[in-house]
Amino acid sequence: MKIVLTYLDFKGICEPIRLVLAIAGIPFEDKRVSYDYVREHKHVLPFGQVPILEVEEDNGNKLIISQSNAILRYVGSLVFPPADDAKSSVRVDIMLEALADINKALIPAWYKNACGRNPATGLLFEETELNEQQQQGVLNCLNQTILPTKFKQIESEYIRSHSSFKFLCGDNITIADVLLYSIISGIKDEKKPYCDGILDTVFADCPNLLRISTQVAHMDQVHKWNETKNKS
């Protein structure tokens, strides 16, 4: 089986996908492209964007998957054992959706734009560009209220549902834990931050989330990936 994962040349929303494949030791081509590449190939990219995962099976069949969470779920199905029951499976989905809400909240800060990119052209909307005062207002809301609340809600859900578990959704690692680690470690990264201006105080009141993120960080495969791919 040949796997090609295409995304921009930074961690972003693709990093948990890369990490899951690295944890499993599954060889893949880590194809990193520019924004110009994406704009030039919008007409052939599913939904006109990256990441995309291309899988060529041994029998010659090809599969192209788009949308980051769909790709994450797919590679997770290759790597991690299936949930024992529907209740265990839905725990993972709950945490994935809660973490996806954090990424959605970051969009204005990522792009310094209220609406982000034009899906037809890939360019930022000029009429919704945020000025410096508005950008600071967005960061203030994210750092002081939005992100601390969302991280605390995930922490509370973990405590309410399964506080004895080693990881977010059980005693075995899942894609939800890898996504959590990617977000927390990215926010902590001062050299290549997940989002400029976001402070690591946003999860200061979430000891369980920090513990779980640290456990993922200490995995040999994750450490090796960071040393070889993400070393500054």
Side-chain angles (χ1 to χ4, degrees), residues 2-222:
K2 180 182 178 181
I3 296 178
V4 179
L5 178 61
T6 303
Y7 188 62
L8 301 163
D9 189 18
F10 53 79
K11 295 179 182 179
I13 58 174
C14 192
E15 191 67 4
I17 301 168
R18 295 169 177 149
L19 284 169
V20 169
L21 291 168
I23 288 170
I26 296 176
F28 70 101
E29 180 183 344
D30 183 20
K31 184 177 179 181
R32 305 198 180 201
V33 299
S34 65
Y35 279 116
D36 287 341
Y37 175 94
V38 175
R39 283 195 291 269
E40 292 167 4
H41 292 80
K42 284 187 74 65
H43 63 291
V44 294
L45 292 170
F47 298 98
Q49 61 189 16
V50 291
I52 61 168
L53 185 77
E54 301 170 83
V55 181
E56 183 176 346
E57 299 175 344
D58 293 339
N59 59 10
N61 290 339
K62 293 183 179 180
L63 176 66
I64 298 177
I65 308 172
S66 60
Q67 302 294 336
S68 57
N69 278 343
I71 298 172
L72 184 59
R73 285 183 169 93
Y74 173 78
V75 297
S77 71
L78 300 178
V79 174
F80 302 126
D84 295 332
D85 51 43
K87 185 177 180 181
S88 299
S89 179
V90 80
R91 284 194 191 114
V92 177
D93 286 337
I94 289 170
M95 292 302 186
L96 286 177
E97 294 299 327
L99 291 165
D101 284 345
I102 289 175
N103 280 338
K104 290 175 186 175
L106 290 171
I107 289 175
W110 270 331
Y111 293 113
K112 297 178 175 59
N113 193 298
C115 293
R117 293 187 179 277
N118 184 322
T121 66
L123 300 174
L124 294 171
F125 287 103
E126 292 183 7
E127 57 268 42
T128 58
E129 182 181 356
L130 302 178
N131 60 37
E132 289 186 7
Q133 183 178 1
Q134 291 168 328
Q135 290 174 33
Q136 189 57 53
V138 168
L139 290 176
N140 289 343
C141 290
L142 287 168
N143 283 318
Q144 296 170 15
T145 304
I146 296 173
L147 295 181
T149 300
K150 289 186 177 295
F151 276 111
K152 191 64 177 178
Q153 287 171 339
I154 298 173
E155 173 89 0
S156 297
E157 175 62 18
Y158 168 80
I159 293 171
R160 184 191 70 80
S161 300
H162 31 71
S163 61
S164 63
F165 287 161
K166 182 178 179 182
F167 292 100
L168 273 179
C169 306
D171 289 328
N172 296 315
I173 188 173
T174 70
I175 53 177
D177 303 294
V178 180
L179 179 55
L180 174 70
Y181 161 75
S182 296
I183 295 174
I184 287 181
S185 64
I187 291 174
K188 286 182 173 182
D189 190 339
E190 296 180 355
K191 295 182 178 179
K192 298 179 180 178
Y194 193 66
C195 183
D196 289 330
I198 299 302
L199 307 176
D200 61 8
T201 53
V202 296
F203 37 69
D205 293 331
C206 303
N208 287 293
L209 301 190
L210 291 169
R211 171 183 57 79
I212 292 168
S213 177
T214 299
Q215 287 174 179
V216 177
H218 287 168
M219 295 180 68
D220 290 342
Q221 305 96 319
V222 173

